[in-house]
Amino acid sequence: MSASFRVPFRLAVLCLSSGAVAVLGACSSGSKAPEEPEFDHGLKKPIVRKLRAELKETPCDKPKAQEYAQLLMTTGDLKGVTKASDDYAAAGCGANVVLLQLSYTANARLEQKEGALKAATALVEAQPTNASYRVWRGLSQEALGQMEGAAADYQKAFELQPDQRPILNALLKAYETLNRPCDALAAYQRYVQAKPTEANKSDVKEAMQVLASKTTCPVDAAPVDAGASEAATAP
């Protein structure tokens, strides 16, 4: 799992000076928004149109829907990607993991927080034991200020892959925000159990000692000694 899964979100309000119309919110009066011009797909325009027309006839053609959305992504048509995924779902075609992955990525790049959360939630529902999708939903919830939900998803992802430091870091950040030091300490304990070679690293030992000194958590928080652990588990 890549450590670079975190995607920044910002909510911008853009006003068109000619009509005073907001793209992501009203700026002033209720002027009607002009129609958005069709995205320029360049040299790939013919194949885009061809696939779009074919999908109108067979909207649940899974390979074709994926090909279409991937093609849109390569041209930079992020809004088209999210629409392709939404259209597939609206047609009652069931979950399409590839489309949902593309939709999550496109929404994140567009800084559409709710859209990213919707796609991530659908991915979690489709594959509840996929740690990456739990992290994606956690990030989406964190961007919306839903820290309890984010922490729950990070915790579940951590349970699925307790040896992954990026997941641990996301979980620790959530627990710090929620002022849950005992849960943070427990996460460190689980991490060094899953990955004993980390137990004697200075940053891990120091972090655990700091948490232990500031809390009244159970005393079984002492770092696991890597050598002792390996000896105990040796055949």
Side-chain angles (χ1 to χ4, degrees), residues 77-194:
D77 186 1
L78 301 180
K79 290 183 179 179
V81 171
T82 63
K83 185 177 185 305
S85 179
D86 290 343
D87 288 348
Y88 188 88
C93 305
N96 186 323
V97 170
V98 172
L99 282 184
L100 291 170
Q101 290 173 339
L102 292 169
S103 179
Y104 172 83
T105 302
N107 274 294
R109 291 180 182 175
L110 288 167
E111 299 170 359
Q112 296 295 325
K113 305 176 186 180
E114 294 287 356
L117 177 57
K118 179 182 175 182
T121 297
L123 284 166
V124 168
E125 291 173 351
Q127 296 185 6
T129 59
N130 187 305
S132 293
Y133 299 156
R134 292 280 181 175
V135 171
W136 288 4
R137 189 167 72 171
L139 291 170
S140 300
Q141 292 181 97
E142 185 176 343
L144 288 164
Q146 302 171 8
M147 290 307 300
E148 288 288 354
D153 269 321
Y154 293 149
Q155 178 62 47
K156 182 59 179 179
F158 184 63
E159 290 169 5
L160 292 167
Q161 295 186 1
D163 61 339
Q164 293 296 311
R165 185 64 184 265
I167 300 178
L168 172 66
N169 290 342
L171 180 59
L172 292 174
K173 180 184 176 184
Y175 283 153
E176 180 180 6
T177 301
L178 294 169
N179 191 27
R180 291 165 58 178
C182 289
D183 288 328
L185 189 55
Y188 265 122
Q189 290 176 335
R190 182 69 184 91
Y191 176 65
V192 297
Q193 288 171 359

Side-chain angles (χ1 to χ4, degrees), residues 36 72 94 156 199 231:
E36 189 173 337
L72 295 179
K156 182 59 179 179

